[in-house]
């Protein structure tokens, strides 16, 4: 299958990997939207996070757990996790991923 994130998991495409286990890989987003922008993905291919949750609730939980661990390791007290699901929601890579964003304010209204 021609999937960018499967190739990152296999090492065929380089990425700045921050955590890797038997079931998940976390790496820096190539176009960061915040000082910290990490993507946490299952090593196995699923189209989106809802599919992960349907197929393997434990794996979906692990992805959120790892997001929290990385945030903790980076000293982030506040952070945002986001999973875009579908083209109109802004999903551009159809291998499930959770965005972890931090290091700036997302509060609205600002200030
Ligand atoms: P989404 O738009 O929610 O599907 O998120 C896909 C994310 O993947 C975007 O934030 C991209 O910047 C990021 N991305 C695309 N290609 C790469 C890559 N080769 N390495 C790291 N992140 C990437
Ligand atoms: Zn894939």
């Amino acid at each position: 299958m021609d999937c960018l994130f499967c190739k990152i998991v296999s090492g065929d495409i380089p990425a700045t990997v921050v955590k890797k286990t038997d079931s998940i890989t976390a790496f820096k987003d190539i176009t960061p939207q915040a000082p910290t922008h990490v993507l946490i993905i299952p090593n196995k291919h699923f189209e989106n996070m809802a599919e992960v949750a349907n197929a393997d609730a434990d794996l979906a939980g692990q992805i959120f757990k790892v997001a929290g661990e990385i945030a903790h390791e980076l000293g982030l007290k506040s952070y945002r996790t986001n999973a875009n699901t579908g083209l109109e929601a802004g999903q551009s890579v159809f291998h499930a991923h959770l965005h972890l964003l931090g290091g700036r304010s997302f509060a609205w209204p600002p200030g």
Side-chain angles (χ1 to χ4, degrees):
M1 190 196 303
D2 194 27
C3 170
L4 175 65
F5 286 180
C6 280
K7 288 178 183 164
I8 286 179
V9 171
S10 65
D12 291 333
I13 287 179
T16 306
V17 173
V18 296
K19 201 177 265 273
K20 185 151 191 171
T21 72
D22 286 347
S23 48
I24 68 97
T25 301
F27 55 96
K28 289 189 179 176
D29 195 293
I30 205 165
T31 311
Q33 307 293 315
T36 294
H37 189 169
V38 173
L39 302 173
I40 301 112
I41 72 171
N43 292 342
K44 190 176 161 193
H45 184 91
F46 294 93
E47 190 167 312
N48 56 50
M49 284 299 295
E51 283 203 1
V52 177
N54 273 328
D56 189 340
D58 182 67
L59 180 57
Q62 281 181 50
I63 289 169
F64 277 96
K65 188 170 177 225
V66 165
E69 287 170 1
I70 294 169
H72 181 73
E73 284 161 19
L74 295 174
L76 296 172
K77 287 198 197 105
S78 273
Y79 59 91
R80 174 174 285 193
T81 47
N82 179 53
N84 299 324
T85 305
L87 212 53
E88 288 175 353
Q91 187 175 2
S92 61
V93 178
F94 288 82
H95 180 128
H97 52 281
L98 186 69
H99 293 259
L100 165 63
L101 295 140
R104 70 169 169 88
S105 177
F106 297 96
W108 192 262

